[in-house]
Amino acid sequence: MQSGKYDLAINRYEESVAIYDDLNDTQGIATQLRCRGEVKRLQGHCEQAKVLFQEALKTFKSIGDKFCSSRTITGLGRIALYQDDYSQAITLFQETLGFSRETKNRNDIAQALYLLGLGKLAHGEVNTASQHFTECLNIGQEIGNTEYILAALDGMARVALSQNKLLSAAMLFAAKEALRSELRITLSPIDQAELDQYLSTLQTRLNKSDYQTAINEGRILTLEQSIKLAIQQG
């Protein structure tokens, strides 16, 4: 989503809040607040997003909406992750994973596993993170959801980097990005900045030739080959 489209989305959500307010639709207001928070998160405006998520969550809990509460808690967990509050992020993602397992929603379970894996990895729990990414990968394959397969590849690339397997990390990041581009899945500004940081780290730690070779090799991997390489990191 381009910058102008983010701003347009925010304006539309604000207009919707006014309409729901006139209708005294509490859930509608909370939903629009959560949506505004999500756009702000994608833009990288973490503090603004956090306030919107917190306000929405308070309302969802007051009306007993567990599903929307879980969605909002996921947003707060992402913010905690961005702000390096890893313990809080882990707590929040564990809560959403528990709810997802309770409702047996495989897509939500996969997402929660990926996010919890990120929290665990940032907290230094590499083996646990790898287990979460592997389960995310397995679910993605079982339900045929490429989005979660790519998320797992991203997670295992980070695991490889944390274990100093620099060539494997570069190949996995490149493979994931090539597949993402093929599927026309765009990255938000905050996710693109994070990816750029990881690639910059790899460029710094590898010599130019090795880095470029790994990137080129990763770009031509098939999905099946990428999955095989990811599994090897576990």
Side-chain angles (χ1 to χ4, degrees), residues 57 60-61 64-74 90-113 116:
L57 181 60
F60 286 135
K61 285 188 172 181
D65 190 331
K66 293 183 178 181
F67 178 79
C68 287
S69 291
S70 181
R71 286 279 194 273
T72 311
I73 290 169
T74 294
I90 288 170
T91 297
L92 292 170
F93 293 142
Q94 285 175 330
E95 184 174 349
T96 60
L97 178 58
F99 177 76
S100 298
R101 290 198 190 281
E102 181 182 324
T103 58
K104 299 181 180 180
N105 186 315
R106 302 281 277 166
N107 286 288
D108 287 352
I109 292 172
Q111 181 189 58
L113 284 165
L116 183 55

Side-chain angles (χ1 to χ4, degrees), residues 1 5-21 28-40 42 52:
M1 187 184 291
K5 292 184 178 180
Y6 283 117
D7 294 336
L8 178 61
I10 287 291
N11 291 336
R12 293 284 173 81
Y13 288 138
E14 288 175 347
E15 291 171 359
S16 296
V17 167
I19 294 172
Y20 284 122
D21 191 37
I29 294 171
T31 298
Q32 298 309 309
L33 288 172
R34 183 184 69 80
C35 290
R36 284 169 57 196
E38 184 64 14
V39 174
K40 289 294 184 181
L42 293 172
L52 289 164

Side-chain angles (χ1 to χ4, degrees), residues 107 136-137 139-150:
N107 286 288
C136 173
L137 175 61
I139 293 174
Q141 290 179 282
E142 289 167 8
I143 65 177
N145 191 318
T146 308
E147 179 181 351
Y148 295 120
I149 295 175
L150 295 184

Side-chain angles (χ1 to χ4, degrees), residues 22 30 33 49 54 71 75 89-90 97 149 151 187 197 200 208:
D22 288 340
L33 288 172
Q54 289 174 333
R71 286 279 194 273
I90 288 170
L97 178 58
I149 295 175
L187 286 179
Q197 183 178 358
S200 177
K208 186 176 181 179

Side-chain angles (χ1 to χ4, degrees), residues 81-188:
L81 200 58
Y82 298 149
Q83 297 181 329
D84 299 335
D85 190 352
Y86 304 133
S87 295
Q88 176 68 357
I90 288 170
T91 297
L92 292 170
F93 293 142
Q94 285 175 330
E95 184 174 349
T96 60
L97 178 58
F99 177 76
S100 298
R101 290 198 190 281
E102 181 182 324
T103 58
K104 299 181 180 180
N105 186 315
R106 302 281 277 166
N107 286 288
D108 287 352
I109 292 172
Q111 181 189 58
L113 284 165
Y114 168 67
L115 293 172
L116 183 55
L118 294 182
K120 291 289 187 178
L121 184 61
H123 199 248
E125 301 176 54
V126 180
N127 290 336
T128 303
S130 180
Q131 291 170 8
H132 290 322
F133 294 140
T134 299
E135 188 178 353
C136 173
L137 175 61
N138 291 338
I139 293 174
Q141 290 179 282
E142 289 167 8
I143 65 177
N145 191 318
T146 308
E147 179 181 351
Y148 295 120
I149 295 175
L150 295 184
L153 294 181
D154 175 80
M156 295 309 291
R158 299 181 194 217
V159 167
L161 180 57
S162 74
Q163 296 176 327
N164 209 36
K165 299 177 182 177
L166 305 183
L167 295 176
S168 292
M171 288 179 66
L172 281 170
F173 276 125
K176 188 246 330 185
E177 283 306 292
L179 292 165
R180 179 187 62 77
S181 179
E182 185 179 324
L183 294 170
R184 298 183 180 180
I185 300 173
T186 58
L187 286 179
S188 67

